[in-house]
Amino acid sequence: MKKVPIQIMDLTTLKAVVFELKKDIVPSRFEKAQQIDSNTVQLGFRTLENLTWLEISWLAESPRIVEINPPKRNGENSTLAKQLKNLLTNLALVEIEQNGFERVIKFKFSSRPGEETEKELIVELMGRHSNILLLDKSRKVITLGKQIKERQSRLRPIGTGDIYTSPPPLKGLVPDLSESFNSWKNNICLVPSTFKNSLKNTYQGISPTLTLQIASNNLNQALDIINQPVENIELRKWLEIYKRWKDWLLDIENNNYSISFQGPTDFIVWGKSNPELKNKKIGLILSSYYTNKILERNLNTIGEKLKQELKNSKNDEIRKLEIQELLIKNISKYISMQNKANSILTLKSPTKKQIIEAQNLFKE
């Protein structure tokens, strides 16, 4: 089956979307909820200007949080949608929190701005461990996207009624804009390995897409660099990578995000921007990207299923045709056998042995 690649919403993209949402929907009042499939909810927040919709998905292949255009009514009666609506209606969204290089977003709700937090919606975007959880004041889980049983995770099983525990702390060093070139390079080269493995194992917040983006703006060059042993990379190339590393961190520090579809990955939200997309919402653009990719993946799955069904049907027809061809090939033999059996049975006094022979001929 042809696999449709979908770029995961990594730390940088997450920060870009959260930065937009903080400006657009804090504060706002929760108004609507619907669950369009087993892994995706859509939430509506009312501001003074309009109703803004978010889509949150914990699907392992494409966990995401994006702003979407007003959706069709679909899935309002799911259990999770009803619970979210009943528990959050009339509450105000007063804060969206995302710390450091964690891929965990906290939506905090209270009766009005300045009041104590009454509910907290936690969104964890961590690949197959992604989830959405609603907590009460005591941080007890009221409802969640998926229950995690002990057989699925001995480290962090969680379900309704449990006290929420944060994901395990990130391993590695915190990327630091002020770190010198020599310190940065020495840290990455401490354990000999390929560039992609060394960078991922040394610093927090590093994804495969970010590794490509840091390595080069050209896909082929980036692939060549990330698969090289760190000891083989030339000093000139190290300096170029370090400059891109600093540019990445500077854009994060200054919240300087803009999306571009030119580079080593499907999209990039830092560095050189696309002038045509400069003032457009990253969340809405990403919404279209994920919608199209998931639709393409679903169509591909349906297409592959139909191809397999057609192949099976063709093989079945070929097998039936071969049987018919064999019957046609042997028809003169069968007619001869039938005539012989009939001639035996038309005898005036056939013996028992002749009768058995005729019966066997008919059977055959």
Side-chain angles (χ1 to χ4, degrees):
M1 181 184 294
K2 180 184 173 186
K3 195 172 182 179
V4 177
I6 303 178
Q7 183 170 325
I8 295 293
M9 191 173 192
D10 66 356
L11 184 279
T12 319
T13 312
L14 178 59
K15 279 184 169 290
V17 171
V18 168
F19 176 68
E20 281 186 345
L21 293 178
K22 285 181 178 179
K23 292 190 300 180
D24 293 344
I25 62 171
V26 178
S28 62
R29 190 165 293 281
F30 175 86
E31 192 166 295
K32 293 179 180 293
Q34 55 184 35
Q35 184 174 12
I36 60 171
D37 59 46
S38 59
N39 298 290
T40 309
V41 293
Q42 296 171 334
L43 308 178
F45 294 88
R46 175 72 64 182
T47 63
L48 292 175
E49 292 79 24
N50 53 31
L51 179 64
T52 299
W53 281 88
L54 306 186
E55 183 170 275
I56 301 172
S57 178
W58 50 100
L59 182 67
E61 295 85 352
S62 59
R64 63 194 180 276
I65 174 170
V66 291
E67 182 179 344
I68 58 173
N69 291 315
K72 296 179 181 178
R73 294 181 64 176
N74 177 24
E76 292 179 305
N77 294 322
S78 79
T79 301
L80 180 58
K82 284 181 177 179
Q83 289 174 318
L84 291 172
K85 187 170 177 61
N86 291 338
L87 294 164
L88 294 178
T89 294
N90 297 324
L91 291 180
L93 174 63
V94 295
E95 185 180 354
I96 302 176
E97 181 183 295
Q98 183 275 321
N99 295 317
F101 293 86
E102 297 280 357
R103 286 183 289 173
V104 177
I105 313 102
K106 300 175 181 178
F107 291 77
K108 299 186 177 183
F109 297 86
S110 64
S111 55
R112 60 179 58 85
E115 297 287 332
E116 178 188 10
T117 299
E118 295 185 25
K119 300 285 191 304
E120 198 169 336
L121 186 68
I122 308 288
V123 179
E124 300 177 347
L125 301 184
M126 303 180 298
R128 63 188 179 89
H129 301 294
S130 299
N131 210 346
I132 181 174
L133 310 98
L134 184 64
L135 316 181
D136 64 13
K137 287 181 183 179
S138 61
R139 299 187 65 75
K140 184 182 292 185
V141 177
I142 310 171
T143 187
L144 71 170
K146 60 182 179 183
Q147 306 261 352
I148 307 298
K149 307 293 184 183
E150 286 191 13
R151 67 176 182 273
Q152 296 170 297
S153 173
R154 287 178 294 175
L155 183 65
R156 192 171 167 253
I158 194 163
T160 305
D162 293 337
I163 298 297
Y164 175 77
T165 56
S166 299
L170 294 174
K171 297 178 181 179
L173 301 172
V174 177
D176 183 357
L177 185 59
S178 65
E179 185 177 20
S180 69
F181 169 73
N182 287 333
S183 171
W184 172 80
K185 179 176 176 294
N186 289 338
N187 284 332
I188 296 174
C189 296
L190 193 60
V191 178
S193 185
T194 58
F195 178 79
K196 64 182 178 184
N197 289 334
S198 292
L199 187 66
K200 178 189 69 175
N201 295 331
T202 302
Y203 289 98
Q204 297 178 7
I206 306 300
S207 65
T209 53
L210 179 63
T211 303
L212 284 166
Q213 295 165 6
I214 293 291
S216 174
N217 198 44
N218 177 277
L219 176 58
N220 290 331
Q221 290 178 10
L223 288 170
D224 179 58
I225 290 169
I226 68 171
N227 291 303
Q228 281 190 47
V230 289
E231 60 268 25
N232 291 355
I233 300 175
E234 300 174 356
L235 178 60
R236 173 183 60 83
K237 191 59 67 178
W238 275 115
L239 290 168
E240 292 175 1
I241 298 169
Y242 178 67
K243 182 182 182 305
R244 292 178 68 80
W245 173 264
K246 297 273 282 188
D247 289 343
W248 168 62
L249 287 175
L250 188 62
D251 281 347
I252 286 180
E253 184 172 280
N254 295 330
N255 290 312
N256 182 31
Y257 305 109
S258 57
I259 194 165
S260 171
F261 288 87
Q262 298 174 344
T265 54
D266 280 4
F267 62 83
I268 182 170
V269 298
W270 63 276
K272 188 177 179 181
S273 62
N274 184 338
E276 295 179 5
L277 302 175
K278 180 69 176 175
N279 297 316
K280 296 190 176 181
K281 286 187 176 182
I282 293 173
L284 283 174
I285 295 172
L286 288 175
S287 168
S288 296
Y289 168 83
Y290 284 112
T291 298
N292 292 336
K293 281 289 185 179
I294 291 169
L295 177 60
E296 183 184 353
R297 187 195 64 178
N298 291 342
L299 288 173
N300 180 65
T301 301
I302 293 170
E304 291 296 329
K305 184 179 178 182
L306 286 173
K307 280 171 64 177
Q308 187 60 47
E309 288 176 353
L310 287 170
K311 183 180 178 181
N312 293 341
S313 179
K314 179 182 177 182
N315 291 339
D316 187 49
E317 291 299 320
I318 289 173
R319 188 170 60 255
K320 289 178 180 177
L321 177 62
E322 289 172 347
I323 292 171
Q324 293 298 320
E325 288 176 339
L326 183 63
L327 289 172
I328 291 170
K329 182 180 178 182
N330 294 324
I331 195 166
S332 59
K333 178 183 174 183
Y334 297 149
I335 291 172
S336 175
M337 292 167 65
Q338 187 181 39
N339 289 338
K340 185 178 179 181
N342 286 330
S343 65
I344 292 172
L345 294 179
T346 55
L347 294 173
K348 285 187 176 181
S349 302
T351 66
K352 184 177 180 182
K353 183 179 178 180
Q354 287 174 320
I355 292 171
I356 293 172
E357 180 184 1
Q359 288 174 337
N360 289 336
L361 287 169
F362 278 126
K363 284 180 182 179
E364 188 173 348

